[in-house]
Amino acid sequence: MAPSTYGLSRQWQRILQRVPSLLDYQTDADLVHHLAAGQTWLAHCGVSSELECIVPVVGGQHGIMSVLMALLQPGDLLLAEALTYTPILTMAARLDLQTGAVAMDDDGVVPEAFEAWCREANPKAFYLTPTLQAPTTVTLSKERRARIAEIAAKNGVILIEDDVFGPLKSNKPAPLAQIAPETTIYVASLSKAVAPGLRVGFLKAPTKLASALHQSVNLSVWMTPPLTLEVARRLIEDGTAGELTAQQQRIAKHRQNLVQSILGIEAVPNLSDGFHVWLPLPEGWRADVFSSECARLGVHVSEGRSFAMNASDAPEAIRLCVSHEANEERLKRGLEIAAGVLQQKPIGSSMKI
């Protein structure tokens, strides 16, 4: 959800005065201020870090790709939750990585399933989103986090913790990176919590891996653009980033309540703090048929199979995104259309497509 311009304009004149230097190559001394802002943002996310362990990136997706490029070799095994962030499989394919799906239940990824992979194979890394999980919106309990951290440390597996949605979650458990800082690479970003067009993120790495991540970023973009880093720095330091995050939280809660009021508490019994809703479909509905019917009526939803590591494990579920539509009346109309489809008898679900 794009935020209002509150708090933004007061920084533009100051930034413009620095444009000439920000358009040049940066020295280590120049980057210290940006790293310090990253340190502040990470602390806001619940993670403490030394400056030398922070790596600026061009948003979370670039950060994830940089991690995979830095630490995994062709043929290495990358684990992810059975339902996961869609680009992960594409990234793995580009890098010629093997992939494995770690089973989930209603409470998120199952630690015993992760342990079984470690026992039966040789995973190099485990990518997961413990907070507001993509796509299910589940937030992993502190007990499961502790168990996953323990298993990873015992088996020498690197945890890649994607926490770009973390700042939207109130009262979330401590991040894995805080529980197990020597085995976890933490991915933070301002794009989800502050503004989608602000493509700035920060990796927090174990000390022994920071150099490799810096080299990977250098290989992909040489340096994270100083101008956008400067924008992020000033928004973080003057408190505007925090204010905009709080605004996003309020909007997300409002829209979650809107979804539940229109689709019904039976369809959406639990609300998350984010901008997505995971909707298991009633018996008889197939996700592809439901999605097609919604699209015919002008509403686009994501099918569960879009997020499945293994197509055979794809649930008959859809994901609703309630962040991009700025006009709330249009959003309401879209939700009413989805609710109407949900109330229909399944259309052609018995047919083979």
Side-chain angles (χ1 to χ4, degrees):
M1 180 79 184
S4 73
T5 57
Y6 172 75
L8 295 175
S9 59
R10 59 191 172 195
Q11 291 293 354
W12 294 130
Q13 287 301 318
R14 296 175 186 174
I15 292 170
L16 288 172
Q17 291 171 5
R18 286 205 61 206
V19 163
S21 64
L22 293 169
L23 294 179
D24 204 348
Y25 291 104
Q26 303 294 291
T27 67
D28 290 343
D30 294 325
L31 290 174
V32 167
H33 300 297
H34 296 154
L35 295 178
Q39 187 180 51
T40 301
W41 183 252
L42 288 168
H44 177 74
C45 297
V47 176
S48 57
S49 178
E50 301 297 327
L51 291 185
E52 57 266 28
C53 295
I54 299 172
V55 182
V57 290
V58 190
Q61 184 169 322
H62 174 240
I64 296 163
M65 188 66 171
S66 297
V67 171
L68 299 182
M69 288 171 57
L71 304 182
L72 280 74
Q73 300 296 321
D76 281 347
L77 175 59
L78 171 66
L79 301 180
E81 294 148 310
L83 299 172
T84 192
Y85 176 53
T86 304
I88 286 297
L89 281 173
T90 304
M91 292 181 187
R94 289 285 185 181
L95 298 174
D96 197 21
L97 304 176
Q98 298 183 66
T99 56
V102 183
M104 304 170 68
D105 61 18
D106 291 342
D107 296 316
V109 68
V110 178
E112 291 75 18
F114 174 38
E115 190 170 34
W117 270 108
C118 294
R119 189 167 55 244
E120 298 166 9
N122 184 31
K124 184 70 177 288
F126 180 17
Y127 166 84
L128 68 167
T129 53
T131 302
L132 296 177
Q133 198 269 341
T136 66
T137 75
V138 171
T139 292
L140 209 60
S141 69
K142 63 179 181 179
E143 292 79 14
R144 290 201 182 191
R145 293 174 190 234
R147 182 70 182 120
I148 286 169
E150 178 186 3
I151 295 166
K154 179 180 177 181
N155 292 278
V157 178
I158 300 163
L159 297 174
I160 304 171
E161 181 179 15
D162 185 348
D163 201 33
V164 298
F165 294 115
L168 298 174
K169 177 67 178 176
S170 58
N171 301 317
K172 68 172 183 175
L176 288 165
Q178 196 67 12
I179 299 169
E182 292 309 309
T183 55
T184 306
I185 297 173
Y186 184 81
V187 182
S189 172
L190 277 72
S191 300
K192 301 297 185 185
V194 177
L198 189 57
R199 307 304 300 173
V200 173
F202 300 97
L203 304 177
K204 188 275 179 181
T207 306
K208 62 185 177 181
L209 300 178
S211 177
L213 295 182
H214 276 293
Q215 292 174 23
S216 182
V217 171
N218 289 345
L219 177 64
S220 60
V221 294
W222 183 250
M223 61 180 175
T224 302
L227 188 57
T228 51
L229 273 174
E230 182 68 9
V231 174
R233 176 181 83 84
R234 290 181 177 274
L235 296 181
I236 292 168
E237 289 182 351
D238 79 350
T240 300
E243 293 170 2
L244 292 174
T245 298
Q247 176 183 304
Q248 297 284 58
Q249 289 173 326
R250 291 191 294 271
I251 294 171
K253 288 180 183 296
H254 169 70
R255 292 199 164 187
Q256 288 280 333
N257 287 324
L258 188 65
V259 170
Q260 191 177 63
S261 69
I262 292 175
L263 293 182
I265 196 168
E266 184 176 342
V268 189
N270 301 308
L271 300 179
S272 74
D273 289 336
F275 282 107
H276 298 92
V277 177
W278 183 245
L279 186 65
L281 295 174
E283 184 177 355
W285 269 114
R286 276 196 357 222
D288 58 345
V289 177
F290 186 93
S291 175
S292 294
E293 179 61 10
C294 285
R296 186 182 69 82
L297 297 170
V299 175
H300 297 280
V301 301
S302 299
E303 299 173 33
R305 66 179 179 179
S306 301
F307 308 94
M309 290 284 286
N310 298 321
S312 59
D313 297 332
E316 301 300 346
I318 61 163
R319 187 196 200 201
L320 299 172
C321 176
V322 295
S323 64
H324 295 306
E325 179 53 63
N327 185 314
E328 188 160 299
E329 289 306 312
R330 279 174 51 85
L331 174 63
K332 288 179 181 178
R333 179 58 185 148
L335 291 172
E336 288 166 355
I337 290 171
V341 175
L342 197 63
Q343 292 168 7
Q344 295 177 17
K345 181 179 178 181
I347 302 168
S349 291
S350 62
M351 300 189 316
K352 302 246 184 222
I353 296 180

